[in-house]
Each structure stands twice: as C-alpha cells, then as structure tokens.
Amino acid sequence: MSPASRATTHRRWPSTAFLEELAAILFNRYPDRDAVALRRTIGEFHGVGLENVFAGNGSNEVLQALCLAYGGAGRSVAVFEPTYALHSHIARITGTAVVTGERHADFTLDLDEVARVLRDASPAITFLCSPNNPTGMVEPAESVAAVMAGAPGLVVVDEAYGQFAPRSAIDEVADDRSLVVVRTFSKTWSMAAARLGYCVAPAWAVRELEKVTLPYHLDSVKQLGGRLALQYRAEMEARVAALVEERGRLAAALAELAVDVWPSGANFILFRPRTRDGADVWQQLLDRSVLVRDFSTWPRLEGCLRVTVGTPHENDVFLSALREVLA
Ligand code: PMP
C-alpha cells in the first residue's frame, strides 16, 4: 500500500493539540523521569493508579525490564510454544534460561504440561500471550487461572493484541497477585512509530521494574503523544470494531476454502493450506502482490501462513488471490 493511500485510512495524527503541546516542550530540559502524567492517564484508562503502571519504549522494552528485574543468571522463564518469539529471545539476552512447554496439537494450552513445567523448572516468570501471536488464539480465563494457581513466580500475560479480543486479564491485576499484563500502543492505537508500551502490574512489581530502567528512558515527545492518544478512545474502538467485523468475514471466507483456520481474537488469522505446500502458496500470493507472513518452516507451524486483517478491499484482494492459487 502506498503511503498516500495508507494516510486515507487513518484520521490525521498528530492532532493539533499534539502539535501545540509539542511546541511548548522545553527541549533543553530532561523529560519527566517518572512519566507521571502519562502513567496517570494510562492508569485512569484502566481504572488503576499510576503506581500500577510501568511504561517503556514499546512493549518489548517492558518485557525486557521484566526479564532484567525477575530473570537473570540461575533463573528461568517458561514459554509455551508456539508463541511470540521475543519472549524467549529477550529472556536469553538477559541471561535467563528458557524452559519450553508444548501446547496441544490444536495450539490450546495443555494444563498437564503447564503443571509439569512449573513444577520441574520453577520459573521466575511464566509467559502467556493472549491473543497469542502467531496463532491468534485467546487464552480462556480458566487457563490463566490454572497458570496463576501453579506458577511459583510472576505470570506475565502479553496482551499486545488485547483490544481485538473479547477477554482480558487486566482486571485481575491486584497488589496481592503476581500477575502482570503487558499492552502496547503499536497495534490498536496505530502508533507503532512512537515506540510506547506499558504494563499494568502490582505496585511492588512496578517499583522493581523502575530499578532496572535507565534514567529518563521515556522522552518528552513520547510521553506527550501517549497521553494525548488516550483521548482518542472512541476512534480507537471504532477502528477495532471495524477490524473485528472484517476478521469475521475473512475467517468465514477462509473456512470455505481448502485451508485449516484457527480461531482468532487478534488482527491476523493463522491458516494452513490443506492441499498445497505453504511456502509455495506464499510465493504465489506474492506473485499477485499479496504479502502474508510465512510461518511454514517454523517448528510446530509447518505449512502455516498468517494473514493480517486489512481494509475490506485489501481482504477481497487477498481472498480472490488465495482462491486463484488454491484452484
Ligand atoms: N508482544 C507481542 C505479542 C507482539 O506481537 C509484539 C509486536 N509484534 C510485541 C509484544 C511488541 O510490540 P511493541 O514493542 O511494538 O510494543
């Protein structure tokens, strides 16, 4: 999609308010080290205090802070594959061992396997991802509860795609529970370029995360942008609703084709051509100017492709290209 046509699908941002406040920033001064206004605004958005909010340069940095604070030499994190690859990658970068548990063949959590991993490895952090990237599947509340009951350390639920899903763990965060929920401005807020993410966490965990963070890590422009973006909740929710509707249409159309499809609570759908090689289908879609994500050679995801839900027109182009390729 050309930059010009992309611009037409979004309400213009930055807003006038953003540009006005930008002009008032004193660029010779350091930013607010504690990002008080930003964290307070995020807290109000979720009905918690600023002491329950830690923000970082993208949610990847929040995940890194969690691993720095709670992981490290002699400790481990648990992940259940397939899941977001950066959980184990960031853990390893911070010197934390990674213990991998398997899911059921349908990619749902295997609670016996979860219990085994938690008992054998006693991980400092147990990562869940809901909706899970790349499967798109939402963790049932019972699965999160079972993990919470068995985990000896922190349970981190990565909800980067949380607003696309019918269910969230964010309301379960409390100061007497070892639960952290990670969110980002990169997806539903359409602000990937700003690099801003956060977690809602018990106040004691936020204090630990602050200890491993470099001073002044959030610049003034980012703090301002994040704070103002939250005033656009209605626009964000309208974008999410339109996308969820398109996701339903896309999933229904895929179900008519010779592909396996996984139920998605995210802004993408994982599918596997039943009669054709995944990589070959990927190439033939590309030959028709349709780019999907190729997971066909990833362990546990053999033959799988992941399509991002686009505009109605983009989805139509994808569907007719796929029908042609599979014919
Ligand atoms: N978590 C998940 C599950 C993701 O898919 C992504 C981005 N692909 C991130 C976290 C990181 O997002 P960001 O650093 O842009 O906030």
Side-chain angles (χ1 to χ4, degrees), residues 12 24 29 58 83 126 130 138 142 153-154 162 172 182 189 192 198-199 202 221 249 286 320:
R12 288 311 299 162
R29 302 282 186 221
T83 191
T126 303
S130 182
V138 180
E142 312 84 74
L154 273 193
E172 286 157 46
V182 179
W189 292 103
Y198 61 93
C199 63
V221 179
R249 187 175 75 87
L286 189 63
S320 60

Coordinates of all heavy atoms in Angstrom, one line a residue, residues 12 24 29 58 83 126 130 138 142 153-154 162 172 182 189 192 198-199 202 221 249 286 320:
R12 N -6.2 11.9 10.7 CA -4.9 12.5 10.7 C -4.4 12.6 12.1 O -5.0 13.0 13.0 CB -4.9 13.9 10.1 CG -5.1 13.9 8.6 CD -4.1 13.0 7.9 NE -2.7 13.3 8.1 CZ -1.7 12.5 7.8 NH1 -1.9 11.3 7.4 NH2 -0.5 12.9 8.0
A24 N 5.4 23.5 23.1 CA 5.7 24.0 24.5 C 6.8 23.2 25.2 O 7.2 23.6 26.3 CB 4.4 24.0 25.2
R29 N 15.6 20.7 28.5 CA 15.4 20.0 29.8 C 15.2 18.5 29.6 O 14.6 18.1 28.6 CB 14.1 20.6 30.5 CG 14.1 22.1 30.7 CD 15.0 22.4 31.9 NE 14.9 23.8 32.2 CZ 16.0 24.6 32.5 NH1 17.2 24.0 32.6 NH2 15.8 25.8 32.8
G58 N 8.1 0.8 23.8 CA 7.5 -0.4 23.1 C 7.3 -1.5 24.2 O 8.0 -1.5 25.2
T83 N 4.5 -19.5 20.4 CA 4.1 -18.2 20.9 C 5.0 -17.1 20.4 O 5.9 -17.4 19.6 CB 4.1 -18.3 22.5 OG1 3.4 -17.2 23.0 CG2 5.5 -18.4 23.1
T126 N 6.4 -16.8 34.1 CA 5.7 -17.7 33.2 C 5.0 -16.7 32.2 O 4.2 -15.9 32.6 CB 4.7 -18.6 33.9 OG1 5.4 -19.3 34.9 CG2 3.9 -19.5 32.9
S130 N -2.0 -13.5 25.0 CA -3.4 -13.6 24.7 C -4.0 -12.3 24.1 O -4.0 -11.3 24.9 CB -4.2 -14.0 25.9 OG -5.5 -14.2 25.7
V138 N -7.1 -16.8 21.9 CA -7.3 -16.1 23.2 C -7.3 -17.2 24.3 O -7.9 -18.2 24.1 CB -8.7 -15.4 23.2 CG1 -8.9 -14.7 24.5 CG2 -8.8 -14.4 22.0
E142 N -10.1 -19.8 32.4 CA -9.7 -21.0 33.3 C -8.2 -21.3 33.1 O -7.6 -21.7 34.1 CB -10.5 -22.2 32.9 CG -12.0 -22.0 32.8 CD -12.4 -21.5 31.4 OE1 -12.4 -22.3 30.4 OE2 -12.7 -20.3 31.3
G153 N 6.3 -18.0 40.4 CA 6.8 -16.6 40.2 C 5.8 -15.7 39.6 O 4.6 -15.9 39.8
L154 N 6.3 -14.8 38.8 CA 5.3 -13.8 38.1 C 4.7 -14.6 36.9 O 5.3 -15.4 36.2 CB 6.1 -12.7 37.5 CG 6.4 -11.4 38.2 CD1 6.9 -10.4 37.2 CD2 5.3 -10.9 39.0
G162 N -4.7 -7.2 22.8 CA -5.7 -7.4 23.8 C -7.1 -6.8 23.4 O -8.1 -7.3 23.6
E172 N -7.8 -8.4 36.5 CA -7.4 -9.4 37.5 C -6.1 -9.0 38.2 O -5.7 -9.6 39.2 CB -7.3 -10.8 37.0 CG -8.7 -11.4 36.7 CD -8.6 -12.5 35.7 OE1 -7.7 -13.4 35.8 OE2 -9.4 -12.5 34.8
V182 N 0.7 -7.0 29.9 CA 1.5 -6.1 29.0 C 0.7 -5.6 27.9 O 0.0 -6.4 27.2 CB 2.8 -6.8 28.5 CG1 3.6 -5.9 27.6 CG2 3.6 -7.2 29.7
W189 N -3.8 1.3 18.8 CA -3.6 2.7 18.9 C -3.0 3.2 17.6 O -2.8 4.5 17.4 CB -2.9 3.2 20.1 CG -3.6 2.9 21.4 CD1 -3.4 2.0 22.3 CD2 -4.7 3.7 21.9 NE1 -4.3 2.0 23.3 CE2 -5.1 3.1 23.1 CE3 -5.4 4.8 21.4 CZ2 -6.2 3.6 23.8 CZ3 -6.5 5.3 22.2 CH2 -6.8 4.7 23.4
A192 N 2.7 2.5 16.2 CA 3.9 1.7 16.2 C 5.2 2.6 16.1 O 6.2 2.3 16.7 CB 3.9 0.6 15.1
Y198 N 3.4 -0.6 27.8 CA 3.3 -0.5 29.2 C 2.8 -1.8 29.8 O 2.4 -2.7 29.1 CB 2.4 0.7 29.6 CG 1.0 0.5 29.2 CD1 0.0 0.0 30.0 CD2 0.6 1.0 27.9 CE1 -1.3 -0.2 29.6 CE2 -0.8 0.9 27.5 CZ -1.7 0.3 28.3 OH -3.0 0.1 27.9
C199 N 2.9 -1.9 31.1 CA 2.2 -3.0 31.8 C 1.4 -2.4 32.9 O 1.7 -1.4 33.5 CB 3.2 -4.1 32.2 SG 4.4 -3.6 33.5
P202 N 1.2 -5.2 39.8 CA 1.2 -4.8 41.3 C 2.2 -3.7 41.5 O 3.3 -3.7 40.9 CB 1.6 -6.1 42.0 CG 1.3 -7.2 41.0 CD 1.5 -6.6 39.6
V221 N 8.5 13.8 24.0 CA 7.5 13.7 22.9 C 6.7 12.5 23.0 O 5.5 12.5 22.8 CB 8.3 13.7 21.5 CG1 7.3 13.6 20.4 CG2 9.2 15.0 21.4
R249 N -15.6 -11.8 8.7 CA -15.8 -12.0 7.2 C -14.7 -12.8 6.6 O -15.0 -13.8 5.9 CB -16.0 -10.7 6.5 CG -16.5 -10.8 5.1 CD -16.7 -9.4 4.5 NE -15.5 -8.7 4.1 CZ -14.8 -8.8 3.0 NH1 -15.3 -9.6 2.1 NH2 -13.8 -8.1 2.7
L286 N 2.4 -13.8 -3.3 CA 3.3 -12.6 -3.5 C 3.4 -12.3 -5.0 O 3.4 -11.1 -5.3 CB 4.8 -13.0 -3.0 CG 5.7 -11.8 -3.0 CD1 5.3 -10.7 -2.0 CD2 7.1 -12.3 -2.6
S320 N -9.4 -13.3 -3.2 CA -9.5 -13.7 -4.6 C -8.2 -14.3 -5.1 O -8.1 -15.3 -5.8 CB -10.1 -12.7 -5.5 OG -9.3 -11.5 -5.5

